[in-house]
Every structure is written in structure tokens, then in C-alpha cells.
Amino acid sequence: MTLGLALLRALKNHGAQEIFGIPGDFILPLFKQIEESNILPLVTLSHEPALGFAADAAARMHCGLGVVAVTYGAGALNVVNAVASAYAERSPLVILAGCPGEVEAHSGLVLHHQVRHIDSQWRIFSEITCDQVRLSNPETAPKDIARVLRNCLELSQPVLIEVPRDMTLHPMAEVPVLPPSAFSADAVAECADEWMARIQAAQRPVLVVDVEVRRFGIEARVAELARRLQLPVLTTFMGRGLLADDGVHSGVQLHGTYLGVAGAPETSALLDDSDLPVMLGAILSDNNFGVSAQRMDFRRALIAAHREARVGHHLYQNIPLAALVEALLERAPAAGQRAAHAQPPRLEYPTGLVADDAPVCAADLSRALNDRILAHGPMNIVSDIGDCLFAAMELMPTPLVAPGYYATMGFGVPAGIGAQVATGQRSLILVGDGAFQMTGWELGNCPRLGLDPIVIVLNNQTWEMIRAFQTESRCAALGDWHLADAADALGGRGHRVHTRAQFKAALDAAYAERGRFQLIELMVPPGDSTPTLRRFSEGIRALRARAAAAATT
Ligand code: TPW
């Protein structure tokens, strides 16, 4: 077998389902093998950042590997921000990057796409990947690839596989699938004992779930734990959409998302006043927890993430999240054993869009979509960063993919494309006009790829989030790009919407027509924002002012 084929088979054997790629001469031999072998389908897009976002979303939907294939230097460095996002947000991406062969690397000439050293690409990616291998030695490559792919999955972070241009056709043995990395069952048991003792002694424990719970495919097990321990559950901002599946969350006291000063007071109090937050898979970021009215004291929490578990000042290392959850389940009361099964709370969601001639506003977005969810059930929502993500916080339980922590713009459209490739189900993409300007052009690939996502552009003709945080900024104005017209030109259908009645009609028409992407351009006035963004920006400003005042006294 050739090295290229063995690599593709290894990817497939580790769960990869497709490759998002843009070719270049340093990786062309591998592209030839991808196309000829039919081991994994190849999806090409227009610009490398989009490949990274699409593969990231595919990985999130699959709860498994997402794969990107790019050429050396210019291609690989174009995907850096998307890989950094996946690194920060724990998404298991494999970056297959071309690189020079041994002979040409020492030709005495500087090669095209070479930044500084032949190794510059490797060095840059070392910062944003959890493991790397260059396939220059076919003897050691099978075990190196196996190690790198196992790390990708177990740490749920990107890895780099450099494929030297002259190695693709070199003979190589099959790549093994390694057994899971060893960990100490005793350590897991001791940790679970300590956690259970604390949970049983706590007055107001609360379970906080974040993205790793999905990455490691244990949502149903975590829901079971919440039911058996009768713990109220919050998701983090980043973890919004977790446990959204009806079958998973039934009987769970899911109280929505922790938004601190921007959230409903009873919801925020669950965590703010808890004497024992139990945090599973949580990223301790400012977006998740910085919105708390008080500075959060994480020493009072039980935290398991990134193969570590904490109890007060104790730190257990090399603890897989899934193993800890299983150990907790072994110690939890059996189902139904606890009296008075607490009912899930009734959360209030905005619904009931009035289809009249009043101008449409940002608050109408969640109203219209909740009406849709009520009538037709949950849908796969992919959101960019911007006010649209705050609108997503107002939605009824439905799967959501968004860059809620790293917060990179430009994610929405390509990630929505990646999500539809991965699931075969229509994506609903939420994006602001500013973020759309970055990567919205990728929609032009939809007709060729047979994809028909529905895209709602919240067009306020500004970088509204920027304006919300710094109202005096004039640079945030974007002008009117008439994006609905562009949609028609790219092979989709555009709907420019000014009133609530037009919004309702456009949504109905968009859902009714399959086979073409739909772009609903929601024309809202600059300065208008969702109630959630308003509370968030006011809350953050107040917290900052308080911190500044405290610093000067
Ligand atoms: C890659 C900084 C965060 S939000 C935002 C900027 C510029 C404005 C978004 O404007 P948009 O949405 O899309 O029109 P809305 O609702 O606010 O009007 N560059 C990158 N990522 C980030 N996060 C920024 C800049 C930013």
C-alpha cells in the first residue's frame, strides 16, 4: 500500500467521514489519491479559512474527526485562525498539509510558499495543534499517525500531519488503531468518591455542562447522571445547545444557559448562589463565566475538563471525562430511587411573531424561529459571532454550533456548509452582515455541492457588537450591500425583508423550497439589537466600571 492510501484508510478507520480541501502543488499527489481511491469524499471550497470552519463544524456534528487538506505555506497558513479556534474550542481537526520533499528542501533555493525556514509551517502549527508528525520516514509513519490520531480524538484538539510531496506514493504498512491511552482506574475511583461525597454534602449543587460533553459523545450519560442525582443543569454560553435533544433531556431539570448579569436572575442565581458547581467539560473562559456579578471562586467547584479533574485544591491528572462520568453513575442512586422527581422548569422563550407591516427588528429573529421550532421541531443551527449568537441564546432547545468562546467572525456560513455535509440535514445559518462579508461568498459552492442551507443575515449595516461596546465608534458603519441580490447571482434565492409580515413569508418560502440555498436578509436599523445583547453589553460595561472604580480606590 502507498503512504497516501494508508493515511486515508487510517483517517477513515479513526472515524473521519470526509475531507475539506483546496489543492496546491505540494499536496497534489495526495489529492490524486483522495480522488482515485474514493476512501473519503473530497469537498472543495473557495478559501482556506472556510475549510477549517467547515471541518470544525463537521467534527462537532460527527462527535469525531474533521479533516482539512491544504498545500504548504500559503494554504496552511490561511487556515491558521480556524485551527486556532478549533484548538481553543476543543474540536478534533486533522490538518493534512503538504510540504517539500527531502531533496527539494535542500536544493539551495528558497521554495515558493516557504516563509522563513522550511519548518516555519511546522513551528506555527505547533502552537495550535496538540500533536504533529511529518511523514518523512515510512518505517515509523504508521505508528506516528496512529499516535497523532489518537491524541486528536482523546484531547479533542487539532493535529498536524505534514505530507512531503515526494512521499505520497512510497510503500507503507497499514496504520493501526491504538487502544485508548492508559489511565489509572484507581485515580478515577478516588476522584469519583471525593466528588460524590461533596455532592451529597452540598446544599445547592448545580451541574454546569460545556462542549467536551458533546465532543466525547456522553450527553446521554451526563443527562442520566443529572436525573439520578436530581441536579439542576445549566449550560455555559459556549455549551448552548447541549442536551437539546428531546430524548436526552427528558426529565432533566435543564434551566437554560448561564449568562450571568445578562441572564434571567433565577437562572444566574443557580450558579452564583450555588455552594457546589459541578462543571463537566467546562472551558473557564470570560464568555462563559466572566459575566458573573461576583468574581467566581472556582475552588468551591468540582471541575473536570481536558483530562483533569479538580476538587478544591486537589488536582487529578489523566482522568478521561467519560470514565469519570461512568464512575459517578456507578455511585449515584439508581433511577427512580430518589423521591419526588423534580420537574424540569418551564422556561420562557419569545414566541408569536406578529406578521404585520411593522418594521422587523432583531428581537423578531428568535420569535420567528421559536414559532418554527414549536411547529416543526428542533433544527441544526449554526451561528456566527455577533448579535445573531445572542438571538440564538433566546431559542428553545435545539442543536447549536457556534464559536462561543474563541469568537471568531466568519465561522457561520462555512460551518453551516460543513454541518450540512456532515449530517445531510439542512442547516439554518445565523450571521451578521459584517461576518457575512468575510466568508459569505462560500455559498456560491452550494449548487455544485448539492447543499441548500437557509441563511438569515441580521443586516443592521454595522458591526453592531462593536458599536454596542463602544457607542462612540464611527468605524462600525458598513453600508448596505444588498446581499439578497448577491444570493440570486450565486445560485441561491434571496429574500430582502423589511417588515414582520415579509419575514414570516420569507421564512415560509425558504423552508418550502429545497435544492437551493436561501438567504433571508433581515433589514434591521443600525443600533437595534436583541434584548439579550443589550443586557450583555450593559452588564459587561457595569462590571468593567465597577472593576475600574475598585482599582482606583
Ligand atoms: C475574525 C471582532 C466581534 S463582533 C464584531 C467584530 C468586528 C462585529 C460583527 O458584526 P456583524 O454582526 O457580523 O455585522 P453584529 O450583529 O455585531 O452587527 N475579527 C474577527 N473576529 C472578531 N470577533 C472580531 C474581528 C468583532
Side-chain angles (χ1 to χ4, degrees):
M1 197 179 339
T2 65
L3 179 143
L5 287 179
L7 174 59
L8 296 172
R9 285 169 60 103
L11 288 167
K12 184 164 184 162
N13 291 339
H14 285 78
Q17 298 192 32
E18 65 284 299
I19 299 177
F20 295 89
I22 295 180
D25 57 349
F26 284 97
I27 198 158
L28 265 180
L30 184 65
F31 270 65
K32 190 167 158 109
Q33 295 226 312
I34 294 172
E35 290 193 271
E36 286 177 359
S37 68
N38 278 325
I39 294 172
L40 290 171
L42 173 65
V43 179
T44 61
L45 296 173
S46 304
H47 194 198
E48 284 86 356
L51 296 178
F53 293 139
D56 179 343
R60 294 181 196 211
M61 299 312 287
H62 291 317
C63 298
L65 295 181
V67 186
V68 168
V70 283
T71 194
Y72 178 57
L77 299 193
N78 246 346
V79 86
V80 162
N81 178 55
V83 177
S85 178
Y87 185 89
E89 299 199 348
R90 317 258 161 87
S91 188
L93 288 196
V94 181
I95 294 80
L96 306 174
C99 72
E102 188 64 21
V103 174
E104 60 188 336
H106 298 100
S107 68
L109 295 174
V110 180
L111 302 172
H112 65 284
H113 300 336
Q114 180 179 332
V115 184
R116 181 169 165 188
H117 308 286
I118 287 285
D119 288 349
S120 294
Q121 167 175 285
W122 174 278
R123 294 184 195 180
I124 290 166
F125 273 81
S126 296
E127 185 66 15
I128 52 171
T129 53
C130 68
D131 201 358
Q132 310 80 24
V133 59
R134 179 177 299 159
L135 305 182
S136 43
N137 180 350
E139 293 299 313
T140 54
K143 89 173 185 328
D144 289 340
I145 294 172
R147 182 202 72 228
V148 161
L149 293 182
R150 181 171 73 175
N151 279 338
C152 186
L153 287 166
E154 289 188 347
L155 299 174
S156 199
Q157 282 182 312
V159 293
L160 174 70
I161 299 182
E162 278 192 344
V163 189
R165 154 157 67 180
D166 59 355
M167 292 303 293
T168 309
L169 295 176
H170 210 285
M172 192 180 95
E174 186 101 35
V175 174
V177 177
L178 299 176
S181 303
F183 62 89
S184 159
D186 287 349
V188 172
E190 197 174 310
C191 179
D193 285 340
E194 228 187 317
W195 274 42
M196 280 310 277
R198 298 259 182 150
I199 292 169
Q200 270 150 7
Q203 303 294 311
R204 294 177 307 283
V206 58
L207 188 62
V208 181
V209 294
D210 200 357
V211 287
E212 279 189 12
V213 163
R214 173 153 182 98
R215 304 286 191 268
F216 295 118
I218 55 172
E219 274 174 277
R221 301 303 285 159
V222 169
E224 174 70 6
L225 188 65
R227 271 191 293 270
R228 289 187 20 203
L229 292 174
Q230 303 260 312
L231 292 175
V233 181
L234 291 172
T235 83
T236 60
F237 185 76
M238 178 71 214
R240 177 81 182 188
L242 284 171
L243 312 189
D245 197 318
D246 266 349
V248 170
H249 77 226
S250 80
V252 173
Q253 304 170 52
L254 187 55
H255 287 257
T257 297
Y258 179 74
L259 293 173
V261 289
E266 357 26 295
T267 309
S268 300
L270 268 179
L271 178 55
D272 291 338
D273 301 343
S274 168
D275 59 340
L276 189 76
V278 182
M279 300 188 170
L280 293 180
I283 299 177
L284 303 185
S285 73
D286 56 354
N287 283 359
N288 277 345
F289 301 112
V291 283
S292 168
Q294 309 114 34
R295 193 187 175 83
M296 213 167 271
D297 178 5
F298 289 108
R299 282 166 310 180
R300 78 188 148 105
L302 305 175
I303 307 173
H306 215 47
R307 280 180 96 87
E308 286 182 354
R310 288 169 192 273
V311 189
H313 294 278
H314 301 179
L315 172 66
Y316 292 86
Q317 288 174 321
N318 196 17
I319 304 286
L321 189 60
L324 178 60
V325 169
E326 287 309 315
L328 291 169
L329 277 166
E330 278 166 24
R331 289 158 177 77
Q337 198 173 310
R338 282 213 167 178
H341 204 87
Q343 286 302 308
R346 296 191 74 79
L347 300 177
E348 299 279 323
Y349 296 102
T351 54
L353 178 78
V354 182
D356 60 9
D357 292 334
V360 73
C361 65
D364 291 327
L365 182 49
S366 59
R367 267 187 218 121
L369 294 181
N370 282 332
D371 289 349
R372 188 87 215 165
I373 295 173
L374 273 175
H376 301 277
M379 47 199 164
N380 289 338
I381 299 199
V382 178
S383 178
D384 215 298
I385 193 78
D387 196 12
C388 56
L389 184 52
F390 291 90
M393 297 297 147
E394 300 168 357
L395 296 180
M396 307 181 85
T398 192
L400 174 69
V401 169
Y405 157 42
Y406 185 73
T408 176
M409 284 165 77
F411 180 88
V413 168
I417 288 174
Q420 186 164 353
V421 167
T423 62
Q425 292 163 11
R426 207 170 196 188
S427 299
L428 179 81
I429 299 169
L430 305 181
V431 56
D433 52 324
F436 188 91
Q437 288 176 13
M438 292 188 175
T439 52
W441 193 244
E442 296 288 347
L443 285 174
N445 293 299
C446 287
R448 178 175 53 84
L449 297 173
L451 303 174
D452 61 356
I454 297 176
V455 186
I456 302 184
V457 184
L458 189 61
N459 189 353
N460 46 28
Q461 301 115 70
T462 35
W463 288 321
E464 181 56 35
M465 285 244 312
I466 297 298
R467 211 205 48 80
F469 285 98
Q470 190 159 284
T471 41
E472 65 278 20
S473 275
R474 275 173 296 134
C475 68
L478 296 177
D480 182 358
W481 281 37
H482 292 271
L483 299 170
D485 294 346
D488 291 335
L490 293 176
R493 175 105 50 219
H495 311 257
R496 191 163 156 105
V497 162
H498 294 275
T499 68
R500 303 196 288 196
Q502 288 170 346
F503 186 23
K504 168 91 174 51
L507 257 186
D508 290 344
Y511 273 98
E513 185 179 27
R514 293 299 314 246
R516 238 178 213 265
F517 80 82
Q518 307 282 322
L519 190 151
I520 301 177
E521 190 181 17
L522 210 57
M523 301 303 298
V524 301
D528 173 47
S529 66
T530 59
T532 309
L533 173 57
R534 213 167 302 132
R535 284 198 305 271
F536 193 85
S537 51
E538 282 165 9
I540 295 277
R541 269 205 303 269
L543 288 177
R544 284 191 189 145
R546 206 169 74 188
T552 54
T553 51

